[in-house]
Amino acid sequence: MTELKGTPTPWSYLCIRLLFKFVLKIFYGTIVVENVDLIPPRGTPCIVCANHSNSLTDALLLVTSIPFKKRNLLRLTAKSTQFGKRTFTSWLIESAGTVPLKRRKDFGDATVDNSYVMQHLMEALELGDAVCLFPEGMSRYHPTIAPLKTGGKLLVSDVLSRNRGNPDFEIDVLTCSITYMHRQHFRSDVLVTFHPPMKFTPKNNPELLAPINYDEVRTLTAKMQQQISSGTLDAPSWRLIRIAKLAARMYAPLGTTMSLGDYVRVVRTFLEAFKLAEAPRADPFSDGEAPSPEQVMREDRKIVQLGNDLKEYQDQLSRWGIKDDRIRRHLPRALILYRILVRLVWALFLGTLSLPGLLLWLPIFLTTVIAVHQFKRTGPVWDTYDEIAQYKLTYGLMSFLAVYLVALLATLPVACLTAAVVPAAMWMGLRWMEDAVAAFRAFNSLVRLLWIGEPALSRMRERRAGLHARVTELAVGTLGLPADPEAYFAETGGTDKGRVRGRWASKAKYFSVRRRRKRDWNETLRLYDQVDYPDDGY
């Protein structure tokens, strides 16, 4: 049997991949990739399947998350309507070697034929390449993953059937979960999690050979959906995600040395509890040690009530413009005044340092804001918000190139020096601005504490104490989470980038040139805390 090596990496793909890494590094604060060791090695036919909630940005993340030492390239697929246009986005897609797929919804009553495309993908897999599919079929801004289409498994079946004469021919399906903290917001964070691949051969999976057994295809597609859902936040409503994040912050408070992956898994644990409690259940039955139906219903009612109380608590925090940690820690008035002064001075100092770089950023910010504002007016939230990050990346890159070129031309005698100084100044300006915004956000919260007043804060602390006890009981007693999260995650959290590693490190290594060391994974480059989502009725 000839060993497959995959298609050699074309130079154009290398350049586009570097461009992707550059724009993603600027736009997102931290991108954490988990389980890279599970990616099938170069030469193994592989279909990469992921959730699809952020349009072209999802594809860019996957291309940059799979290292060269694992795969030569990742062949992408995209809707055919994005090809053949005189736009920068179209050029990017085509330059990355993306294969156009026709969707029925884009062609009305016309006949849609993807036979040539599928033939191309099968041939690529038989060479040992990796192909990327988004089995939801379309990108959408929604809290839940759409039911997966069976195209991925049908492609596996077609490839196995073509190679039935080679019983040891192997094709892998690698599922991946992409979790955005706030997908469309500048300097937010992203988690990319790869799952153990499903392996198929003609010898071990005769049920997938033609003539195909569609029940097997549907069963395997359901397993794919379960794998993808297990690594991200998959909920029927934004409300549940909002209260699950609040529950996670109460259980593991601000300052817990938690990796991004651990944070997402804790939020998901609470989310699944709230989902299960609200979901209709079939008539349960008791088989001895199992809880009685009445016990199950009582437990569900307790969890549902906790969710409702957490929502009301978060609504009040949002009205006041503060976050839970400001209620958790009681601060005397004198200490609040002192910290207000310190935060204000620090914000002004960092803001002054960042001014030279911000002047270069100003045209980019203005161009992007105008472009996104115009785009939002073209459709409803569910049809436009998933493409906001794509628009910001595209217009931000084009305006950056324009600023860079103008700076070089304006300083032509010393252009060689400018070529290095301008990007460095812009990056340092951005980093100082991140910390300046964080300091001003803290200043704003402290001022609001004075405005709210001690009587209202005392009542809110009492309310929070009761909620915290109920959240801890749910986390430890029902969900099996560690009783001391701060100690547990400090020991097991690993060394993920962007993570503050303890009180001493957070002070001694406060500033990092590479990335902001965050204490709160919900943080974005905003003057306020981003805790709210679109109404579920949009």
Side-chain angles (χ1 to χ4, degrees), residues 373-385:
H373 177 71
Q374 294 296 328
F375 174 68
K376 284 181 178 179
R377 298 168 62 183
T378 63
V381 169
W382 61 267
D383 195 37
T384 55
Y385 271 45

Side-chain angles (χ1 to χ4, degrees), residues 357-375:
L358 290 184
L359 292 176
L360 294 169
W361 276 104
L362 186 59
I364 300 173
F365 289 153
L366 289 176
T367 303
T368 305
V369 167
I370 293 171
V372 170
H373 177 71
Q374 294 296 328
F375 174 68

Side-chain angles (χ1 to χ4, degrees), residues 421-441:
V421 170
V422 168
M426 292 182 72
W427 178 252
M428 292 307 300
L430 176 61
R431 281 294 301 109
W432 281 322
M433 182 176 67
E434 279 190 283
D435 287 354
V437 168
F440 189 82
R441 197 165 51 234

Side-chain angles (χ1 to χ4, degrees), residues 84-338:
K85 296 181 179 179
R86 300 177 65 180
T87 63
F88 184 70
T89 302
S90 181
W91 175 81
L92 274 180
I93 291 172
E94 295 174 17
S95 299
T98 308
V99 179
L101 278 174
K102 295 180 180 179
R103 303 187 306 177
R104 287 190 177 89
K105 63 175 289 186
D106 296 326
F107 291 88
D109 296 330
T111 303
V112 173
D113 182 12
N114 281 313
S115 56
Y116 171 77
V117 175
M118 301 308 290
Q119 177 73 20
H120 183 76
L121 293 179
M122 286 190 286
E123 291 173 355
L125 288 167
E126 289 172 342
L127 290 173
D129 287 347
V131 169
C132 176
L133 295 177
F134 294 105
E136 287 179 86
M138 63 181 293
S139 172
R140 61 195 195 128
Y141 189 83
H142 203 274
T144 189
I145 299 174
L148 302 191
K149 300 184 184 300
T150 57
K153 285 305 180 185
L154 291 174
L155 182 58
V156 170
S157 174
D158 290 342
V159 174
L160 289 179
S161 297
R162 282 164 57 102
N163 292 272
R164 65 172 71 227
N166 179 4
D168 294 321
F169 177 87
E170 180 184 307
I171 180 170
D172 292 357
V173 174
L174 177 68
T175 54
C176 174
S177 304
I178 305 175
T179 308
Y180 298 93
M181 295 300 97
H182 298 283
R183 70 198 81 184
Q184 76 272 29
H185 290 315
F186 192 41
R187 306 303 290 169
S188 58
D189 306 301
V190 190
L191 176 69
V192 180
T193 304
F194 292 103
H195 303 286
M198 294 181 277
K199 302 177 182 292
F200 303 95
T201 64
K203 179 173 63 178
N204 296 332
N205 303 97
E207 70 280 2
L208 294 179
L209 301 178
I212 191 168
N213 184 337
Y214 280 94
D215 289 337
E216 291 291 338
V217 170
R218 283 188 284 269
T219 299
L220 292 173
T221 301
K223 183 179 179 182
M224 285 172 52
Q225 177 134 13
Q226 189 278 327
Q227 272 195 340
I228 295 173
S229 175
S230 69
T232 189
L233 306 180
D234 182 17
S237 67
W238 293 112
R239 174 183 60 84
L240 288 180
I241 290 180
R242 185 172 180 253
I243 63 176
K245 284 188 173 184
L246 175 59
R249 284 194 296 274
M250 282 190 164
Y251 164 71
L254 187 69
T256 302
T257 53
M258 223 176 195
S259 70
L260 180 56
D262 285 336
Y263 171 73
V264 170
R265 283 183 281 276
V266 168
V267 173
R268 184 183 181 277
T269 301
F270 282 107
L271 178 60
E272 292 300 308
F274 291 126
K275 279 169 56 178
L276 185 62
E278 291 190 2
R281 298 200 184 207
D283 291 337
F285 59 90
S286 178
D287 58 354
E289 296 183 2
S292 67
E294 292 76 15
Q295 288 176 304
V296 172
M297 290 180 63
R298 280 198 301 271
E299 186 65 26
D300 283 351
R301 283 196 294 267
K302 282 175 57 179
I303 296 174
V304 169
Q305 185 59 51
L306 173 60
N308 293 335
D309 293 343
L310 287 172
K311 179 184 180 299
E312 292 177 4
Y313 175 75
Q314 181 62 71
D315 288 344
Q316 184 60 58
L317 292 179
S318 297
R319 285 191 290 270
W320 283 347
I322 60 175
K323 58 185 177 182
D324 173 66
D325 190 64
R326 296 297 180 189
I327 302 297
R328 177 177 72 95
R329 296 186 298 175
H330 172 63
L331 297 177
R333 185 180 180 85
L335 183 57
I336 292 177
L337 291 170
Y338 168 74

Side-chain angles (χ1 to χ4, degrees), residues 49-70:
C49 296
N51 54 309
H52 199 19
S53 63
N54 208 8
S55 193
L56 179 62
T57 311
D58 294 330
L60 270 58
L61 271 172
L62 289 177
V63 167
T64 56
S65 297
I66 298 179
F68 279 132
K69 64 182 180 181
K70 284 288 188 176

